[in-house]
Amino acid sequence: VFVMVVSSRSPKILWRVVGTNGTLQIERGFQGQHGYLVSLYDANGQCKSSFFPFSGVTEELKAFFNDVSENTLKKGSQFVPEHRLSFVEGARDVALLEAMLESGSRQGKQVQVKKF
């Protein structure tokens, strides 16, 4: 399930994935600071929750600029970029969004997410 409400005073974003061994829910919210509340419900209904402060685009841009700088300074070396910024991770993000849209267009029918 994906829910996104933007036409309100407090926008909400929520993802819920239900599986045979439990449920994972990620909700963007505010607990003294903006971030994500991640809750894992096991098959017995027990819940473990953790809050992760929102770092968003700023942190990703810092990592991107750091990688560009490091690669420029170390020409010809074996530079290893930040894994989150790889084209494979980008393709995985797009595959997930594509599957969500396809499922929505099929009235919530289960679809396979392409694996990269």
Side-chain angles (χ1 to χ4, degrees), residues 92 95 112-116:
R92 288 176 178 157
Q112 291 292 323
V113 177
K114 293 177 187 169
K115 294 184 180 182
F116 294 91

Side-chain angles (χ1 to χ4, degrees), residues 99-109 111:
M100 290 169 57
L101 292 170
E102 182 181 342
S103 175
S105 71
R106 296 174 155 191
Q107 288 70 45
K109 183 178 176 185
V111 298

Side-chain angles (χ1 to χ4, degrees), residues 9-90:
R9 272 197 148 167
S10 60
K12 279 287 189 195
I13 298 174
L14 179 128
W15 294 267
R16 181 179 291 167
V17 179
V18 179
T20 56
N21 294 323
T23 300
L24 173 68
Q25 180 170 302
I26 304 168
E27 181 176 357
R28 186 170 173 185
F30 187 82
Q31 289 189 1
Q33 58 186 324
H34 292 281
Y36 295 97
L37 178 63
V38 178
S39 302
L40 180 61
Y41 300 85
D42 66 20
N44 298 320
Q46 298 294 320
C47 178
K48 293 180 185 176
S49 294
S50 299
F51 183 79
F52 298 91
F54 180 67
S55 58
V57 175
T58 303
E59 292 302 315
E60 288 192 20
L61 282 174
K62 284 181 186 176
F64 173 74
F65 290 133
N66 180 65
D67 283 356
V68 169
S69 297
E70 289 294 316
N71 194 31
T72 302
L73 294 172
K74 298 179 180 179
K75 284 186 177 177
S77 69
Q78 295 298 321
F79 173 72
V80 178
E82 170 77 35
H83 178 71
R84 296 176 304 154
L85 299 174
S86 72
F87 67 90
V88 173
E89 288 300 314

